[in-house]
Amino acid sequence: MTRTAPSATTAGFSRDQRRTLTVLGISQALGGAGMAAGITVGALLAQDLLGSTSLAGLPAALYTIGAAFGAAVLGRVSQRFGRRPGLALGNGIAALGSAGVVAGAAVRWPVLLLAALVVYGAGTVTGLLARYAGADLAPPDRRGRAAGTVLVAMTLGAVVGPNLSGPTGELAGTWGLPPLTGPFLLAAVAYAAAALVLVVWLRPDPLPPAPPGEAGSAPPGAHRAGRPAPGVVTGATVMITAQLVMIAVMTMTPVHMAGHGHTTQAVGLVIALHVGAMFLPSPLSGLLTDRFGGRRVATAAGVLLLSAGLLAGLAPPASTPLLACALVLLGVGWNLALLGGTAVLTDAAPAGNRAAVQGLADTGMSVAGATGGMVSGLVMGGSGYPVLTAAAGALALAVIPAVAMSGRRPA
């Protein structure tokens, strides 16, 4: 017995799919507000509590460690028990981690703060994993649009969250807590609400548990000699490469700009435009994926990422507009690679093991992000920003189109 998606109406998605996308969109908006806490004040909290500027980057590393672990575990939970328990658990973990951060900062206990940041990171990965749930009930020709709809919903919370740093900081102060914990208070409430929304309203489950005896089954040709299907490796390689390239360039751009006299406001504007470009084009990227196929969209992503790297490296260091354009191209290229790779992987993954495979792919993305962040500093310190961006773009063009169009397992 094989689980099949409900048929879509001629007007678009089926009724169950529309309901699924609505519920996922609400939970994603709430989760986006929670995710913004780590971006907004995570480094500042670590700097304040640890008393060292050199350790201010530690939260990002801890998020990544947690995200890598969380993606693998939540993928397996979703495969075993269904999407609703898996995604709700992820949001609950993020809420618990947020509360732990607040407690660690309140009692000024660095060990608790750092451990809570790992837990927080393990839960925040739910925001990306939810795109797979959006595609579960969609027919094959609408999976890209469904995944894109779920991703773009996260942007609302991610934009609103940082703007609430002031009010939430004042609220934390009135409760006798450090003002910097305000955004994490918001994160705890937002993630808990997202978990509640999923538990109560995400019905039917987009990926219900497999009947006994079906788990781990795969259609003929999905595996050969224990190896994953070529499409699985192709989709994962596209997403992992794009993540590595994007993180490498994004991480060092603020350093490059600050070193050439740009104000903090200018740096913030460039990064804000980049983050918007990462998620806002999702519906269009999804439409292109459905219309032209994930492989072609991924190939286009490789070209865009190369263009972004070259523009960033060749732009005059004093030019905020050109650097902003480069980072926008970087975000759009990443978005195309993410949705194109998601479509290729989802189409190829066996139904009996799909969620677990998707979780492992996102684990690879987390590891690639950590690698990109570490290597980028070494490359920039040794060779400079232009070499870093050009090398990142060249890597994207060399790997993503070649893998996407060959469809073969890369060496």
Side-chain angles (χ1 to χ4, degrees):
M1 177 180 178
T2 302
R3 288 170 286 174
T4 57
S7 60
T9 64
T10 55
F13 295 119
S14 68
R15 179 180 178 182
D16 284 346
Q17 175 68 355
R18 289 196 299 270
R19 176 183 174 84
T20 295
L21 292 177
T22 300
V23 174
L24 287 172
I26 294 171
S27 69
Q28 285 288 89
L30 291 167
M35 181 186 69
I39 299 174
T40 307
V41 299
L44 297 176
L45 263 178
Q47 181 180 0
D48 176 65
L49 193 57
L50 299 174
S52 172
T53 302
S54 61
L55 295 176
L58 189 56
L62 296 175
Y63 302 156
T64 304
I65 293 171
F69 180 76
V73 171
L74 294 175
R76 291 187 175 276
V77 170
S78 296
Q79 187 66 58
R80 177 68 178 84
F81 301 103
R83 292 287 188 197
R84 183 172 65 251
L87 295 179
L89 175 63
N91 282 288
I93 289 173
L96 178 64
S98 302
V101 169
V102 174
V107 300
R108 300 196 68 79
W109 189 10
V111 174
L112 176 58
L113 175 72
L114 298 179
L117 286 171
V118 176
V119 176
Y120 170 80
T124 56
V125 75
T126 308
L128 283 181
L129 286 174
R131 74 188 188 278
Y132 295 119
D136 280 334
L137 293 180
D141 63 342
R142 286 182 174 269
R143 284 177 180 163
R145 275 166 281 189
T149 299
V150 173
L151 276 180
V152 78
M154 191 165 55
T155 310
L156 176 62
V159 170
V160 172
N163 292 314
L164 296 177
S165 298
T168 56
E170 293 175 2
L171 177 63
T174 62
W175 290 350
L177 298 170
L180 286 175
T181 63
F184 278 99
L185 285 174
L186 172 64
V189 174
Y191 276 121
L196 182 63
V197 166
L198 292 167
V199 168
V200 175
W201 286 293
L202 191 59
R203 302 175 186 275
D205 195 306
L207 186 71
E214 185 180 328
S217 64
H223 294 271
R224 180 177 299 174
R227 294 180 179 180
V232 170
V233 180
T234 297
T237 302
V238 166
M239 294 187 292
I240 289 170
T241 304
Q243 181 78 354
L244 188 152
V245 169
M246 186 275 292
I247 292 293
V249 177
M250 180 191 71
T251 302
M252 287 299 110
T253 297
V255 177
H256 172 67
M257 294 180 67
H260 287 84
H262 289 269
T263 64
T264 303
Q265 183 177 2
V267 173
L269 173 62
V270 169
I271 297 302
L273 291 172
H274 167 69
V275 173
M278 287 174 61
F279 296 104
L280 287 177
S282 295
L284 177 59
S285 299
L287 175 63
L288 293 174
T289 299
D290 290 336
R291 186 156 298 180
F292 299 106
R295 297 180 188 277
R296 292 180 179 177
V297 168
T299 300
V303 176
L304 272 182
L305 291 171
L306 172 65
S307 302
L310 292 178
L311 179 58
L314 295 175
S319 176
T320 300
L322 286 179
L323 289 171
C325 288
L327 268 289
V328 166
L329 282 176
L330 184 72
V332 174
W334 177 87
N335 184 267
L336 287 171
L338 181 70
L339 286 169
T342 296
V344 173
L345 183 145
T346 300
D347 288 344
N353 204 33
R354 182 172 295 150
V357 169
Q358 291 165 337
L360 287 176
D362 279 22
T363 296
M365 289 179 61
S366 296
V367 174
T371 303
M374 291 186 294
V375 172
S376 63
L378 297 175
V379 174
M380 182 167 170
S383 304
Y385 183 75
V387 172
L388 167 67
T389 56
L395 175 65
L397 185 65
V399 174
I400 294 178
V403 171
M405 298 313 295
S406 70
R408 298 179 179 179
R409 188 174 185 271

